[in-house]
Amino acid sequence: MTARGLSLFDTAIGRCAVVWGERGITGVHLPEASEARLRARLRRTDPGVPESIPPPAVQDAVDRMVALLDGGADDLADVVLDLDGVSPFERDVYALARAIPPGETSTYGKVAARLGDVGAARAVGGALGRNPCPIIVPCHRVVAAGGRMGGFSAPGGADTKRRMLVIEGAAAAGPPTLFDA
């Protein structure tokens, strides 16, 4: 990888951004209501990071995220992330989320159980809410018990989560609603 940089890119759910450093992708940002709001968020979360052309490994990840959000079945599991600054618990949660294939879902409780603590479902939700790399770490594939959407801290909330699951063909998304584009 090269020095830190960021780049915006268009997907089926809107304009997203990717941020990288020397050891991998450090952030993925889902669409905001406008590009100006997305850029404002980037200035807050990644101050001073210049907008630039992604290096080949990052561009490959961008192309694969775009394809996934166009209905492709790529799990993005081999995309290199730099998760410095996240706790060991969060790393474990993100690893389990990355193991959920496109078109499938798990629940907060099942992820907690796989971590060895059935009572940690709320903590799993909190970790996923702090996910710095949505899409690559597919937090949208973790739903509440009974297939309910549960929370989603990204712009658009549960509607964005449902839309991403619908694109992937996940049964937990339920039938499309009037709000699904």
Side-chain angles (χ1 to χ4, degrees):
M1 295 279 169
T2 60
R4 290 187 52 102
L6 70 85
S7 181
L8 279 63
F9 61 99
D10 294 313
T11 72
I13 65 168
R15 195 145 176 85
C16 296
V18 63
V19 183
W20 65 88
E22 292 180 9
R23 295 191 324 262
I25 292 175
T26 61
V28 175
H29 296 270
L30 294 176
E32 291 278 354
S34 69
E35 183 174 326
R37 289 178 93 171
L38 176 59
R39 288 181 181 282
R41 181 166 28 120
L42 289 165
R43 284 191 300 276
R44 283 190 314 274
T45 60
D46 298 281
V49 176
E51 192 166 344
S52 58
I53 296 171
V58 174
Q59 185 60 55
D60 179 63
V62 166
D63 294 343
R64 292 169 63 193
M65 286 187 276
V66 169
L68 176 68
L69 292 172
D70 275 340
D74 192 340
D75 66 9
L76 306 171
D78 61 332
V79 173
V80 177
L81 300 178
D82 177 355
L83 296 176
D84 274 1
V86 304
S87 73
F89 176 78
E90 290 168 330
R91 286 177 193 269
D92 291 344
V93 169
Y94 301 159
L96 289 172
R98 288 186 87 180
I100 303 167
E104 294 183 24
T105 59
S106 188
T107 66
Y108 300 107
K110 286 180 182 176
V111 172
R114 293 208 49 215
L115 291 169
D117 186 354
V118 294
R122 192 174 296 268
V124 166
L128 292 172
R130 293 183 295 277
N131 175 11
C133 298
I135 306 172
I136 298 172
V137 175
C139 51
H140 63 281
R141 295 184 193 144
V142 183
V143 298
R148 294 183 334 263
M149 286 296 104
F152 196 58
S153 61
D159 290 336
T160 298
K161 183 175 191 171
R162 179 180 305 281
R163 189 167 177 208
M164 292 171 77
L165 290 171
V166 166
I167 288 169
E168 292 184 4
T177 69
L178 294 174
F179 303 104
D180 293 323

